[in-house]
Amino acid sequence: MSDTDNRMTGAEIVLRALKDNGVEVIFGYPGGAVLPIYDEIFQQDDIKHILVRHEQGAGHMAEGYARSTGKCGVMLVTSGPGATNAVTPLQDALMDSIPLVCISGQVPTSLIGSDAFQECDTVGITRPCTKHNWLVKDVNELAGIIHEAFRIAQSGRPGPVVVDIPKDVQFATGTYRAPQEARVQTSYQPKTSGDVARIEQAVALMRTARRPVIYSGGGVVNSGPEASKLLRELVELTGFPITSTLMGLGAYPASGANWLGMLGMHGTYEANMAMHDCDVMVCIGARFDDRITGRLNAFSPNSKKIHIDIDPSSINKTVRVDIPILGDVGRVLEDMVRLWRASAGPAKPQGGEQLSDWWASIARWRARNSLAYRPSSDVIMPQYAIQRLYELSKGRDTYITTEVGQHQMWAAQFYGFEQPNRWMTSGGLGTMGYGFPAAIGVQVAHPESLVIDIAGDASIQMCIQEMSCAVQYGLPVKIFILNNQYMGMVRQWQQLLHGNRLSNSYTEAMPDFVKLAEAYGGVGIRCEDPAELDDAIRMMIDTPAPVIFDCRVANLANCFPMIPSGKAHNEMLLPDEATDEAVATAIDAKGRQLV
């Protein structure tokens, strides 16, 4: 390529850099400060642009795209309110380790700091919610910065980055440099290979375990499909029981013999009791989040802890561990499996004689049936709705996203995930409104697959405007609303922890979701009879268009088991212990008895 070929405008450099970094689709919304880039988008066909209806939607779509493919998601927003609307998905991606590149327009460099129209300090605002960000002032540095942005977003612990580009830099002419010619920031060189001596120490400790548990997280999924295979191999070799965080579901199959279910605030009794009583805990790609640990000074008090993580700041941050291993989960698991094979002999189902007492204890905990709920032939129970959705969709190439709330926890409890990258949810930030745009991003990446957003009637209204985006691009995303006419998790906490004072958690003036779907040009389905649920779900799945499914469920069902805030793992509330007395006396703001 000659120097003449290398000369192009800043806007052309942006598109060329995206293409050279393997970008096939971007999610964005135009505005004055990015019009030069949009003009270049118009004049090329290599990269598809999805027009969103709100910049928050663009970020969540990019997250869904990234989480379901392992690639980097890309969003494009204008200056000022466009950039500030991107803050929520940026923070969401930071907490859940999603690789995301946000390109934002900025006012011309001569106007920066003058309170110009649609100006804000994008770099300052997004510094706390990104891995790194840049304000580009020289068009000749633009290509290198974009290449570096992709490297930083995808390497180490993945996360979001922002490249803020003033409008005059987009118009200016400069020299394009290919990715291999880009200058690499030597200050950021994440360590990927684990210390072999510490891995050997960890394997030696694991061999002595009588009550072990593997605690896996989203880092296994982020490391790639090979990491999930190695995790499964390690479980088979050791015979250890395994549990997972919300973000790690699917790395180990829900049908696996050693699966304890999800752990944490709404995890299973057996998973949480195993974590509390274990003698060796192997934490793989998780960060001891507060939803997992419960009360810290009572968290797994008698265990030796091994922690494998690529992020040095996550190790010993909240829980002190005995053997920290810094490195990529996939590479460390490869070494761990190799060392175990070298000296342990053939695999023993569920650990053989050494772990027989431990598995007997787990069997007793499982017998408590902590996910039990009271069935009904009169009203659809939300747990039953998820079970039927799972059974009717599990034979297909299915991806599940969720909003945030009770429906999210029920989905995690009752929808079985057999593979990684099939479950997209907002774990760390808990973003209401995440699920629907994330599902659109997944559907863009996997146009032939079944993509379902399991939603709540409150959460879905946060980003419902993206229904217009789904219809425009013919994306047959299914929104499966568990409609209980409450902000369900808020109502549950108010009932259990705030004296049953239901302050502003009853959502009145609800839309007719069937009419709303039709107003956007989609399809609406409503079901409130358990006997009709299967046929209605089949209709939803078979409809080749965006669907809003209004599933009317029991208004006051609670999500159990539950570790109350500030309690320990062995202080769980189980369904049989949390009686329906409080439910029976729940009164709404108008004084009506709710049934």
Side-chain angles (χ1 to χ4, degrees):
M1 182 184 291
S2 69
D3 288 341
T4 305
D5 292 334
N6 278 351
R7 300 291 290 175
M8 54 187 79
T9 67
E12 289 176 305
I13 287 172
V14 170
L15 269 295
R16 181 65 173 274
L18 293 177
K19 181 182 175 183
D20 284 356
N21 280 282
V23 174
E24 297 173 343
V25 60
I26 55 180
F27 303 90
Y29 200 89
V34 283
L35 288 185
I37 296 174
Y38 270 89
D39 193 44
E40 288 304 320
I41 289 173
F42 184 85
Q43 299 178 64
Q44 58 84 52
D45 297 315
D46 295 319
I47 297 174
K48 183 176 183 180
H49 178 274
I50 301 294
L51 176 63
V52 305
R53 300 308 189 261
H54 189 281
E55 291 87 356
Q56 181 182 349
H60 296 324
M61 288 180 204
E63 285 188 276
Y65 181 93
R67 187 76 177 177
S68 66
T69 62
K71 300 177 183 177
C72 198
V74 181
M75 64 185 297
L76 174 61
V77 300
T78 194
S79 62
T84 58
N85 283 342
V87 166
T88 294
L90 288 171
Q91 180 66 26
D92 192 271
L94 184 73
M95 295 188 75
D96 285 349
S97 308
I98 309 298
L100 178 63
V101 172
C102 173
I103 295 174
S104 58
Q106 183 55 274
V107 300
T109 51
S110 61
L111 294 179
I112 290 176
S114 70
D115 291 332
F117 177 67
Q118 289 194 331
E119 181 194 1
C120 73
D121 179 8
T122 300
V123 166
I125 289 169
T126 61
R127 185 172 289 120
C129 56
T130 54
K131 283 183 75 175
H132 198 61
N133 59 17
W134 297 262
L135 172 62
V136 184
K137 294 184 177 179
D138 182 351
V139 68
N140 291 302
E141 295 180 358
L142 179 56
I145 286 173
I146 293 176
H147 300 325
E148 183 70 355
F150 277 88
R151 184 182 79 86
I152 289 177
Q154 293 173 289
S155 58
R157 179 181 176 182
V161 297
V162 167
V163 181
D164 196 34
I165 312 173
K167 193 169 184 178
D168 58 319
V169 174
Q170 297 171 41
F171 277 124
T173 300
T175 301
Y176 178 77
R177 297 284 180 236
Q180 61 270 23
E181 299 170 357
R183 187 170 42 122
V184 172
Q185 288 191 1
T186 55
S187 61
Y188 182 68
Q189 297 290 339
K191 188 176 184 291
T192 55
S193 296
D195 184 283
V196 175
R198 284 193 170 168
I199 298 172
E200 289 174 342
Q201 188 182 358
V203 169
L205 177 61
M206 290 162 65
R207 283 196 217 292
T208 67
R210 294 293 185 273
R211 302 187 310 279
V213 68
I214 292 175
Y215 152 40
S216 63
V220 181
V221 178
N222 288 339
S223 185
E226 190 60 31
S228 294
K229 292 178 186 175
L230 288 163
L231 176 68
R232 296 168 188 222
E233 192 173 351
L234 183 68
V235 172
E236 184 181 349
L237 285 170
T238 60
F240 287 5
I242 178 170
T243 181
S244 165
T245 66
L246 181 74
M247 299 303 295
L249 294 176
Y252 183 83
S255 61
N258 293 32
W259 178 239
L260 300 178
M262 183 180 72
L263 80 155
M265 179 170 281
H266 292 287
T268 66
Y269 184 68
E270 54 268 30
N272 284 322
M273 289 303 294
M275 286 284 281
H276 186 270
D277 286 1
C278 69
D279 62 355
V280 173
M281 179 188 298
V282 187
C283 174
I284 306 174
R287 58 185 176 89
F288 294 98
D289 166 78
D290 65 291
R291 300 281 114 163
I292 296 303
T293 62
R295 183 158 52 94
L296 271 174
N297 63 5
F299 173 67
S300 194
N302 301 312
S303 66
K304 297 284 187 181
K305 298 174 182 69
I306 300 163
H307 188 189
I308 305 167
D309 206 293
I310 199 165
D311 180 8
S313 71
S314 290
I315 293 177
N316 288 326
K317 181 169 67 177
T318 55
V319 171
R320 298 293 301 179
V321 299
D322 300 277
I323 305 177
I325 302 173
L326 182 64
D328 178 78
V329 162
R331 293 197 183 189
V332 174
L333 282 174
E334 187 176 10
D335 289 339
M336 196 170 268
V337 166
R338 176 178 52 80
L339 288 169
W340 190 279
R341 281 191 181 282
S343 56
K348 297 177 183 177
Q350 298 197 332
E353 185 64 30
Q354 182 169 323
L355 304 186
S356 59
D357 289 346
W358 182 231
W359 277 107
S361 297
I362 290 170
R364 288 193 294 274
W365 292 327
R366 279 177 170 161
R368 293 292 297 270
N369 194 14
S370 64
L371 297 182
Y373 62 92
R374 184 177 298 173
S376 172
S377 58
D378 300 318
V379 64
I380 299 173
M381 297 303 292
Q383 302 94 326
Y384 176 74
I386 301 294
Q387 285 179 313
R388 297 314 304 154
L389 182 67
Y390 170 62
E391 291 298 330
L392 294 168
S393 64
K394 69 179 180 180
R396 300 168 183 262
D397 185 34
T398 306
Y399 293 81
I400 299 293
T401 70
T402 76
E403 309 294 335
V404 168
Q406 287 179 318
H407 65 273
Q408 177 190 29
M409 295 298 104
W410 282 318
Q413 291 173 341
F414 291 96
Y415 200 102
F417 295 94
E418 298 296 305
Q419 298 295 333
N421 302 104
R422 299 301 177 120
W423 163 250
M424 276 60 62
T425 194
S426 176
L429 194 60
T431 306
M432 294 174 72
Y434 166 90
F436 180 34
I440 291 176
V442 175
Q443 192 79 78
V444 168
H446 308 277
E448 302 303 318
S449 300
L450 174 62
V451 183
I452 304 171
D453 170 33
I454 297 174
D457 51 290
S459 280
I460 192 58
Q461 295 186 73
M462 291 279 185
C463 286
I464 191 62
Q465 69 278 353
E466 301 306 337
M467 190 70 180
S468 179
C469 174
V471 170
Q472 176 180 341
Y473 293 99
L475 300 167
V477 173
K478 318 303 181 191
I479 305 173
F480 189 76
I481 302 175
L482 298 183
N483 187 350
N484 59 11
Q485 278 131 78
Y486 279 95
M487 298 173 205
M489 193 63 83
V490 173
R491 194 262 315 145
Q492 177 170 333
W493 280 55
Q494 288 174 338
Q495 177 189 318
L496 297 176
L497 304 173
H498 296 277
N500 203 31
R501 292 179 292 278
L502 306 187
S503 175
N504 291 281
S505 54
Y506 179 62
T507 49
E508 297 189 69
M510 293 287 289
D512 181 323
F513 286 112
V514 172
K515 289 182 179 178
L516 186 60
E518 293 169 350
Y520 276 111
V523 175
I525 300 172
R526 179 182 293 115
C527 183
E528 47 192 288
D529 185 344
E532 298 173 359
L533 182 60
D534 279 18
D535 286 342
I537 290 175
R538 289 190 189 98
M539 183 189 303
M540 176 190 76
I541 291 172
D542 293 338
T543 300
V547 175
I548 298 180
F549 187 114
D550 184 4
C551 186
R552 299 299 182 96
V553 299
N555 292 55
L556 297 169
N558 280 336
C559 184
F560 292 112
M562 175 183 178
I563 303 175
S565 184
K567 299 293 185 179
H569 278 165
N570 60 345
E571 299 176 287
M572 298 186 75
L573 282 176
L574 297 180
D576 55 339
E577 295 165 352
T579 67
D580 288 339
E581 291 177 14
V583 173
T585 59
I587 306 294
D588 77 353
K590 289 187 171 65
R592 296 191 304 262
Q593 184 78 26
L594 295 175
V595 294

